[in-house]
Amino acid sequence: MNGAQALMQTLVDSGVDTCFMNPGTSEMHFVAALDSVHEMHSVLALFEGVATGAADGYARMAGRPAATLLHLGPGLGNGLANLHNARKANTPIVKSVGDHATYHKQYDALLESDIETVARNVSSFIRTSQQPADVSADAAAAVAAAMGPPGQVATLILPADAAWGDPATPAPPVVPVAAGAPDPVQIQAIATALRAGEPSALFVGGRACRAATLVDASRAANAVGATLLCETFPARLERGAGVPPVERLGYFAEFAAVQLAGLRHLVLIDSKAPVSFFAYPGKASDLVPEGCEVHALAGPTDHVGAALAALADALGAPPDSATLAAAGRPVLPTGALTADAVCMAVGALLPDGAIVSDEGQTSASSALRYTAGAPRHDWLSLTGGAIGQGLPVAVGAAVACRDRRVIALQADGSALYTLQSWWTMAREHLDITTVIFNNGSYAILNLELNRVGVDTVGSRARDMLDLRRPDLDFVALATGLGIPATRATTADEFVDQFQKAVATPGPTVIEAIVV
Amino acid sequence: MNGAQALMQTLVDSGVDTCFMNPGTSEMHFVAALDSVHEMHSVLALFEGVATGAADGYARMAGRPAATLLHLGPGLGNGLANLHNARKANTPIVKSVGDHATYHKQYDALLESDIETVARNVSSFIRTSQQPADVSADAAAAVAAAMGPPGQVATLILPADAAWGDPATPAPPVVPVAAGAPDPVQIQAIATALRAGEPSALFVGGRACRAATLVDASRAANAVGATLLCETFPARLERGAGVPPVERLGYFAEFAAVQLAGLRHLVLIDSKAPVSFFAYPGKASDLVPEGCEVHALAGPTDHVGAALAALADALGAPPDSATLAAAGRPVLPTGALTADAVCMAVGALLPDGAIVSDEGQTSASSALRYTAGAPRHDWLSLTGGAIGQGLPVAVGAAVACRDRRVIALQADGSALYTLQSWWTMAREHLDITTVIFNNGSYAILNLELNRVGVDTVGSRARDMLDLRRPDLDFVALATGLGIPATRATTADEFVDQFQKAVATPGPTVIEAIVV
């Protein structure tokens, strides 16, 4: 058994049995190992950002890490934006990066670069295997680091000679480490603070956004009349009819300030104290209101479910006191096709058990509202602000949950960063319906130009935010990448196309020309 | 004048008047400055790898740096692969990266990351402006660092408050530093070594691949019967009828070994001693034959033209003793469309003064041979091995040379990394003819699998190198990105389409289905 085979066997023995890859020459032995380690499911991407974003989406839905296989420093660079997003979400990923053979590095060949330095931006665990016998132990350490808690991006650099050399043997399976138990003293202190009856909010994020945990969050909030808020971009929010509804903190600081105004207690549950996404001249970056005390109930290494259950019990909340969202759908839109009409149609027609990958940006702003009473579903957000995550995350979620329909709500400008995702959707026959909001611009930047204090916006600046000249034709792009696609220009057309798309196995793209 | 305006004025005053950009919120003041500094020509890209690769192509042809504008750490990550390629080629690039406002960084907002760490992989000059008053001097220092010699990627990190704040004033224009004069003692020593009549080769790279310099290289080589070789992937090779021909060192070490066999002297002129691109089990990484002495005539900080002229003179080479390539074209191919037939047609029809961006990989292997006697042209290679450079480099070359026809010879798999380039070609009405070699696979990896010592290649491994299932339709992809496109399935169709494409202003794509 060579190093590559031992690595792959170690991964699958520890439950990491899916690898999103874009390999090159230095990774050929890893690729060859697929034919001896049949438990590994490999998914090919045409661009590394697809592979890394898919690994993120996979882990969010599967609850365990996927692996990625990237080609040296430049391949890692191409995957870096979505690894940044994964890092911000504490998503576990075992990132393997091939490298030149150890003895070849001294020659500074063309593809030589400092992989560890690039990896450092997204990984606190970085290890380079020096010989075949080390690979398995290094891989097991990477898996353990990725799993956490907290989940993280772990980097395993695999020189070609460590992959092709032997002998090597697989490492024992990694045993996951349990999250930390809640601290009763801290729970009581927070309960005492909340019982005073001052304006309070529970602010959930990360792993606290699952249905079972939200039930306890809602119980606790109801017991003291607190607001239940969630972070602006939760990695995975379970929601819909029968799940406690949470109010999402606004992206724009002006709106978030209204939501937080007057609070005296803000309890963090796997979330961070809210800050402005960007800085704006003359506006505060820290969104916590003056006089509001911030309490950390549970962080990324803690068992958030146990902590919230304990808090709810400490507050004397009855078991069945959670607020649950009522079933309810908007009517089907008709007439002109606006972004709002698209969101309304999605709300009216969202399939039971759907997974929504939301990178709709400004266009999808009403989608959460319209889907609030839809059948239970998962909502996956852009977690680190680096656009180009939505389509890859949809790929990974669909690979993890082959029995569920994935809906990708996708802005036009953002789609172009990782459009190669569509080819992988077609190749893997994934049940993904992509809705492209084509408004012909980086619309959010037109808003931001004024918000950052640009007084006079000239034509040359506007031109840099304009995606017309030429118009993007997403039907043609989807066709080019092997996916059937349609174009909707009225709400009625969109409704018709969306109904058909979610009822048809495999991927489809609907380009919504929104006015 | 705010920091962004002062930055932009400093750049244009120093001759950096073209910026390839993909901006976000933190760069909005730079974008707004376009309407007050009209000398700056800004080119929008839909993906950062297009912007960085275009800056590379621009500098290779214009002989001076372009600027790029990227959005924080993730934007830099997306641009990193082509910056790696630029670094390997000593291409000067002034890379501006926007960042959060200085006071905002402490809050670890979602897009916060360690930009300097990522930049370190490609830049030895990295500076973060701390206040508006510093921006101009920092920008001037970045321009000076980029210009070199040697040329390099210089990174200027621009926090939002340094951009929007004032007052700031432009810095004085940067005065380029002259390359180092040749060392007469070293020249004489090399001349003496070569005069002994032992098997020798001059090995040119970098800036030594321009016509005027090649004339002196050829004179020197002819004076002592030495071979004239050039590096495998020269950044810009001037060639064609009337220019001294050079033999390119083979990509495969086996072929390179034949070219270098028996040499006793190898003279480096802005090149590095040849090494294998990748390591292969049991094969040498260092390609310099045993017993061959390596002489460094001129490096990246030296005046390579003066050094070669001095060497030729020291060897007593007459002024007109250079070998010049004779004019000559292959016949037009007919019948089945092979990759070789495509190259033959390009050789037969290459326009006078064309610029060829070659990322054709295995498919374009005969292109150099067929164009050897074509009218004088420039040949731009993949300089750092990170694929996805060809189309962006074509964009930059066409922006730099609006009166010349650019031909992008592009492999299918590599095209998918930075396909967004086509949209910028359309937007800027660039005279670029892209030829896609569609062979439905990562063909080079099928070769490499065996070369790296994989004995048995199974079906699952082969599947990871396969670009069919689904087939890529590049005509549809080009249409989606706003470029007219045609598909050729016979040599005759290709000839017809290529003739029309190079005679039509603006960009065109020809998808060559090669067998």
Side-chain angles (χ1 to χ4, degrees):
Chain A
M1 185 175 275
N2 66 24
Q5 290 163 330
L7 163 62
M8 200 173 286
Q9 192 65 52
T10 298
L11 292 177
V12 300
D13 288 350
S14 292
V16 182
D17 64 1
T18 300
C19 182
F20 299 93
M21 60 169 62
N22 185 255
T25 297
S26 38
E27 294 77 41
M28 284 298 100
H29 284 270
F30 187 99
V31 170
L34 290 169
D35 286 288
S36 48
V37 184
H38 288 267
E39 305 95 317
M40 180 60 83
H41 175 216
S42 63
V43 178
L44 180 61
L46 298 182
F47 177 70
E48 293 88 346
V50 176
T52 56
D56 185 352
Y58 177 94
R60 293 194 212 179
M61 294 310 302
R64 57 201 164 93
T68 63
L69 182 66
L70 309 176
H71 184 48
L72 302 109
L76 173 55
N78 282 336
L80 206 67
N82 275 333
L83 292 169
H84 166 88
N85 288 325
R87 174 174 77 89
K88 291 291 181 169
N90 290 128
T91 302
I93 293 178
V94 180
K95 169 166 64 83
S96 311
V97 185
D99 196 4
H100 285 308
T102 51
Y103 61 82
H104 192 68
K105 292 186 72 67
Q106 63 185 303
Y107 298 106
D108 192 28
L110 285 190
L111 270 168
E112 176 64 29
S113 71
D114 180 356
I115 300 177
E116 292 198 6
T117 289
V118 178
R120 200 160 291 129
N121 200 262
V122 291
S123 288
S124 52
F125 177 97
I126 302 172
R127 193 169 297 178
T128 301
S129 293
Q130 295 301 328
Q131 52 182 352
D134 297 345
V135 171
S136 296
D138 291 343
V143 171
M147 287 178 170
Q152 64 172 309
V153 178
T155 301
L156 180 66
I157 300 171
L158 188 66
D161 52 341
W164 74 48
D166 53 36
T169 51
V174 173
V175 180
V177 174
D183 170 7
V185 177
Q186 170 75 347
I187 303 266
Q188 282 305 332
I190 294 174
T192 303
L194 294 179
R195 271 201 222 92
E198 295 178 309
S200 305
L202 304 187
F203 189 51
V204 295
R207 293 154 304 132
C209 296
R210 306 296 165 77
T213 305
L214 291 175
V215 165
D216 288 322
S218 177
R219 287 174 58 217
N222 287 344
V224 292
T227 308
L228 181 54
L229 293 171
C230 86
E231 59 188 358
T232 310
F233 298 107
R236 177 182 173 187
L237 176 65
E238 287 192 84
R239 61 195 299 274
V243 179
V246 292
E247 186 184 331
R248 190 162 78 149
L249 193 72
Y251 166 78
F252 291 119
E254 301 88 311
F255 300 150
V258 172
Q259 294 172 291
L260 300 169
L263 286 182
R264 301 303 300 270
H265 299 282
L266 183 67
V267 182
L268 307 181
I269 307 108
D270 209 2
S271 62
K272 291 169 61 181
V275 298
S276 177
F277 197 90
F278 289 108
Y280 301 97
K283 294 185 179 149
S285 291
D286 183 352
L287 299 181
V288 178
E290 187 94 17
C292 176
E293 196 176 345
V294 177
H295 310 265
L297 175 68
T301 60
D302 301 323
H303 194 306
V304 293
L308 268 170
L311 179 65
D313 292 346
L315 292 171
D320 59 352
S321 62
T323 305
L324 302 181
R329 304 250 204 189
V331 298
L332 285 172
T334 187
L337 189 58
T338 59
D340 189 70
V342 169
C343 296
M344 190 184 288
V346 169
L349 300 168
L350 193 73
D352 191 7
I355 302 165
V356 179
S357 177
D358 175 9
E359 195 174 71
Q361 317 287 34
T362 53
S363 293
S365 54
S366 59
L368 276 175
R369 179 160 53 83
Y370 286 126
T371 52
R376 188 162 158 168
H377 58 276
D378 285 277
W379 202 272
L380 313 182
S381 311
L382 173 56
T383 52
I387 57 178
Q389 188 190 32
L391 296 177
V393 158
V395 166
V399 168
C401 305
R402 291 212 173 241
D403 55 340
R404 298 174 66 177
R405 169 61 52 173
V406 177
I407 312 290
L409 300 179
Q410 185 60 52
D412 48 1
S414 312
L416 262 291
Y417 290 77
T418 46
L419 199 70
Q420 306 90 337
S421 304
W422 282 346
W423 183 82
T424 300
M425 292 181 194
R427 186 176 181 89
E428 296 286 322
H429 307 292
L430 300 174
D431 291 340
I432 303 174
T433 304
T434 302
V435 175
I436 291 280
F437 295 90
N438 187 343
N439 61 17
S441 83
Y442 287 124
I444 195 161
L445 295 183
N446 275 299
L447 297 174
E448 294 283 47
L449 254 176
N450 297 320
R451 298 182 72 241
V452 297
V454 174
D455 304 322
T456 315
V457 181
S459 60
R460 303 184 79 216
R462 288 274 177 229
D463 194 44
M464 291 297 108
L465 314 183
D466 168 49
L467 298 181
R468 304 196 189 281
R469 199 167 65 76
D471 281 320
L472 289 159
D473 175 345
F474 286 93
V475 172
L477 289 167
T479 304
L481 292 164
I483 295 198
T486 56
R487 178 175 294 119
T489 58
T490 67
D492 307 82
E493 284 175 4
F494 182 81
V495 165
D496 179 55
Q497 292 171 16
F498 190 79
Q499 277 175 320
K500 285 182 183 144
V502 298
T504 307
T508 325
V509 170
I510 304 174
E511 179 181 31
I513 307 292
V514 294
V515 291
Chain B
M1 184 175 276
N2 65 25
Q5 291 163 330
L7 164 62
M8 199 174 286
Q9 192 65 52
T10 299
L11 292 177
V12 300
D13 288 350
S14 293
V16 181
D17 63 2
T18 300
C19 182
F20 299 92
M21 59 169 63
N22 185 254
T25 296
S26 39
E27 294 78 40
M28 284 297 100
H29 284 272
F30 188 99
V31 170
L34 290 169
D35 286 288
S36 48
V37 184
H38 288 267
E39 304 95 316
M40 180 61 84
H41 175 215
S42 63
V43 178
L44 181 61
L46 297 181
F47 177 70
E48 294 86 347
V50 177
T52 55
D56 185 352
Y58 177 93
R60 293 195 212 179
M61 294 310 303
R64 58 202 165 92
T68 63
L69 182 66
L70 308 175
H71 185 47
L72 300 110
L76 173 55
N78 283 336
L80 206 66
N82 275 332
L83 292 170
H84 165 88
N85 288 326
R87 175 174 77 89
K88 291 292 182 168
N90 290 130
T91 301
I93 293 178
V94 179
K95 169 165 65 83
S96 311
V97 185
D99 196 3
H100 285 308
T102 50
Y103 61 83
H104 193 68
K105 292 186 71 67
Q106 63 186 301
Y107 297 106
D108 193 28
L110 285 191
L111 270 167
E112 177 64 28
S113 72
D114 181 355
I115 301 176
E116 291 197 7
T117 289
V118 179
R120 200 160 292 129
N121 200 263
V122 291
S123 287
S124 53
F125 177 98
I126 302 172
R127 193 170 297 179
T128 301
S129 293
Q130 295 301 328
Q131 52 181 354
D134 297 346
V135 172
S136 296
D138 291 343
V143 171
M147 286 177 170
Q152 63 171 310
V153 178
T155 301
L156 179 66
I157 300 173
L158 188 65
D161 53 341
W164 74 49
D166 54 34
T169 50
V174 172
V175 180
V177 174
D183 171 6
V185 176
Q186 170 75 347
I187 304 268
Q188 281 305 331
I190 295 174
T192 303
L194 294 179
R195 269 201 222 95
E198 295 178 307
S200 305
L202 304 187
F203 188 51
V204 295
R207 294 154 302 132
C209 295
R210 307 296 164 78
T213 305
L214 291 175
V215 165
D216 288 322
S218 178
R219 287 174 57 218
N222 286 344
V224 292
T227 308
L228 181 53
L229 293 171
C230 85
E231 59 187 358
T232 310
F233 298 107
R236 177 182 174 189
L237 176 65
E238 287 192 84
R239 60 194 298 274
V243 179
V246 293
E247 186 183 332
R248 191 161 79 149
L249 193 73
Y251 166 77
F252 292 118
E254 301 88 310
F255 300 149
V258 172
Q259 293 173 291
L260 299 169
L263 286 182
R264 301 303 301 268
H265 298 282
L266 184 67
V267 181
L268 307 181
I269 306 110
D270 209 2
S271 63
K272 292 169 59 181
V275 299
S276 178
F277 198 90
F278 290 107
Y280 301 97
K283 291 183 181 152
S285 292
D286 182 351
L287 299 182
V288 178
E290 187 94 16
C292 177
E293 196 178 344
V294 177
H295 310 265
L297 175 68
T301 59
D302 301 323
H303 194 307
V304 292
L308 269 169
L311 179 66
D313 291 346
L315 292 171
D320 59 351
S321 61
T323 305
L324 303 180
R329 304 244 203 195
V331 297
L332 285 171
T334 187
L337 190 58
T338 59
D340 190 69
V342 169
C343 297
M344 191 184 289
V346 169
L349 299 169
L350 193 73
D352 192 6
I355 302 165
V356 178
S357 176
D358 175 9
E359 194 173 74
Q361 318 286 32
T362 52
S363 292
S365 54
S366 58
L368 276 175
R369 180 160 52 84
Y370 286 125
T371 52
R376 188 162 158 167
H377 58 277
D378 284 277
W379 202 272
L380 313 182
S381 311
L382 173 56
T383 52
I387 57 179
Q389 188 190 32
L391 296 177
V393 157
V395 167
V399 168
C401 304
R402 291 212 173 242
D403 56 340
R404 298 175 66 178
R405 168 63 52 174
V406 177
I407 311 291
L409 300 179
Q410 185 60 53
D412 49 0
S414 311
L416 262 292
Y417 290 76
T418 46
L419 200 69
Q420 306 91 337
S421 305
W422 281 346
W423 184 83
T424 300
M425 292 181 194
R427 186 176 180 90
E428 296 286 322
H429 307 292
L430 299 174
D431 291 339
I432 303 174
T433 304
T434 302
V435 175
I436 292 279
F437 295 89
N438 188 342
N439 61 18
S441 85
Y442 287 124
I444 195 163
L445 295 182
N446 275 299
L447 297 174
E448 294 283 47
L449 255 175
N450 296 321
R451 297 183 72 239
V452 297
V454 174
D455 303 323
T456 315
V457 181
S459 60
R460 302 183 79 217
R462 287 274 178 228
D463 194 44
M464 291 297 107
L465 315 183
D466 169 49
L467 300 181
R468 304 196 189 280
R469 200 168 62 78
D471 280 320
L472 290 160
D473 175 345
F474 285 94
V475 172
L477 289 167
T479 304
L481 293 164
I483 295 199
T486 56
R487 179 174 295 118
T489 57
T490 66
D492 307 82
E493 285 175 4
F494 181 82
V495 164
D496 180 54
Q497 292 171 15
F498 190 79
Q499 277 175 321
K500 286 183 183 142
V502 297
T504 307
T508 325
V509 169
I510 304 173
E511 179 181 30
I513 308 291
V514 294
V515 290

